Amino acid sequence: MTERTFSILKPDATERNLTGKINAVIEDAGLRIVAQRRIRMTEEQAKTFYEVHKERPFYGELVGQMTSAPVVVQVLEGENAVAKYREIMGATNPEQAAEGTIRKLFAKNVGENSVHGSDSQDNAKLEIAQFFTEDQIVG
Ligand code: ADP
Ligand code: MG
């Protein structure tokens, strides 16, 4: 089924000029980038976005990381886009990520792991709506 997922190219990726290389992995996997914008995430946006992790010990570090440099927010579209993107992202910790995945190829460590991808269709819808209006998404 064709669906959409939400992606972020994180500060560690933009800082190292990796946005093109990561987009190439995304497109080679058959996912279409149907919306994309480079933004500086505010502390409020980052806190809201990662609210589910607010009790975790790394929450403060995570919010600090996400606001430390520009990010690229994206909407990806394709067959089973949510699961497909999670697959090509690789495990959260790059040391555990499979060969050829974005995190294996590019991530620095478990915190600075280059990309975010929605973990369910419901979350994808909520996350997309936090950063894009429907008219900004051109499928
Ligand atoms: P994922 O991004 O793979 O869905 P989680 O939802 O578990 O992973 O965590 C959200 C983000 O929080 C991760 O991508 C990573 O940037 C950060 N994070 C997760 N676990 C840790 C950790 N143990 N130490 C530092 N940062 C972490
Ligand atoms: Mg997650």
Side-chain angles (χ1 to χ4, degrees), residues 57-120:
F58 57 79
Y59 181 67
E61 181 189 325
L62 179 57
V63 170
Q65 176 58 38
M66 293 302 287
T67 56
S68 66
V71 301
V72 177
V73 289
Q74 304 176 312
V75 180
L76 310 181
E77 190 175 85
E79 278 293 298
N80 301 313
V82 172
K84 169 66 74 69
Y85 191 42
R86 294 293 305 194
E87 185 187 322
I88 66 165
M89 283 166 55
T92 306
N93 185 344
E95 288 175 16
Q96 278 138 34
E99 288 300 325
T101 60
I102 293 167
R103 284 166 166 170
K104 179 71 174 187
L105 288 166
F106 304 118
K108 292 168 82 170
N109 53 60
V110 68
E112 298 168 292
N113 58 4
S114 303
V115 283
H116 164 84
S118 308
D119 60 8
S120 69

